[in-house]
Amino acid sequence: MYRAALIGATGDGNYGHGLDRAWGLIPEVDVVAVADVDVDSARAKADEVGASEAFGDYGEMLSSVEPDFVTVCTRRPDTHFQMLMAAVEAGARGIYCEKPFVCTPAEADKVIEAANSRGARIQIAHRRRVDPNVLRVIEMVESGEIGRLVSMHTTGKNDDRRGGAEDLAVLGVHFMDLMRQI
């Protein structure tokens, strides 16, 4: 049985886009601990996912439970670099990270170098990469079934409450990754 740990670290109960529940779909993995800056939020999430331990500090959690897998659930990229490096240094073999990955290309290079040196693998939560509909579109483009692709256009939620840069930050990385994939 593999051991997984979740890092929320936002104090608001927000664990990304359901990343806290992903391990529940894999019978060979037990979520053993949750960390959040608010230990009450961590305890509530631990109870929800069946983890026995809750921590107010992710570093303490990582050193205490020594998980095989770590999920960085927070959607705040300003915290990702430190969390990812701590997970790699704690010996996690696999890390699943909410997008955006980190804040700068230099941070990305450091995380990737550290992971490679320890044999850890990192997956960014770009869920559309395995979406059957997207895979079918790629197949149709590659086979020429729908003709030659000459342009692509995406749009966010067009929500006046979070337009412009916020929509780009929240959804833009998914759309850019989707266009890159196709």
Side-chain angles (χ1 to χ4, degrees), residues 17 99 125-128 170-178:
H17 293 98
K99 57 79 180 164
H126 286 296
R127 299 172 306 167
R128 287 194 173 115
V170 173
L171 296 174
V173 292
H174 287 301
F175 293 137
M176 287 184 246
D177 186 64
L178 177 65

Side-chain angles (χ1 to χ4, degrees), residues 18-131:
L19 299 186
D20 56 309
R21 298 184 309 270
W23 294 114
L25 302 172
I26 305 171
E28 300 82 14
V29 177
D30 279 334
V31 176
V32 296
V34 176
D36 195 302
V37 294
D38 176 1
V39 75
D40 292 332
S41 179
R43 180 74 262 155
K45 184 56 70 175
D47 290 344
E48 182 183 322
V49 300
S52 59
E53 298 191 63
F55 295 83
D57 178 272
Y58 67 85
E60 181 185 343
M61 176 191 71
L62 292 170
S63 64
S64 176
V65 303
E66 298 179 352
D68 299 297
F69 300 108
V70 173
T71 300
V72 175
C73 301
T74 178
R75 293 196 269 183
R76 294 179 41 210
D78 60 311
T79 61
H80 286 182
F81 176 75
Q82 294 83 2
M83 292 172 178
L84 290 162
M85 293 298 282
V88 168
E89 290 167 12
R93 299 183 338 200
I95 304 164
Y96 190 50
C97 183
E98 178 61 280
K99 57 79 180 164
F101 182 40
V102 290
C103 291
T104 68
E107 287 181 350
D109 290 343
K110 289 176 184 173
V111 170
I112 291 166
E113 181 181 327
N116 286 341
S117 73
R118 297 275 191 120
R121 297 290 179 249
I122 299 173
Q123 169 77 35
I124 308 303
H126 286 296
R127 299 172 306 167
R128 287 194 173 115
R129 289 192 175 196
V130 294
D131 182 319

Side-chain angles (χ1 to χ4, degrees), residues 10 65 136 146 156 171 179:
T10 58
V65 303
R136 176 68 178 123
I146 58 173
L171 296 174
M179 289 189 288

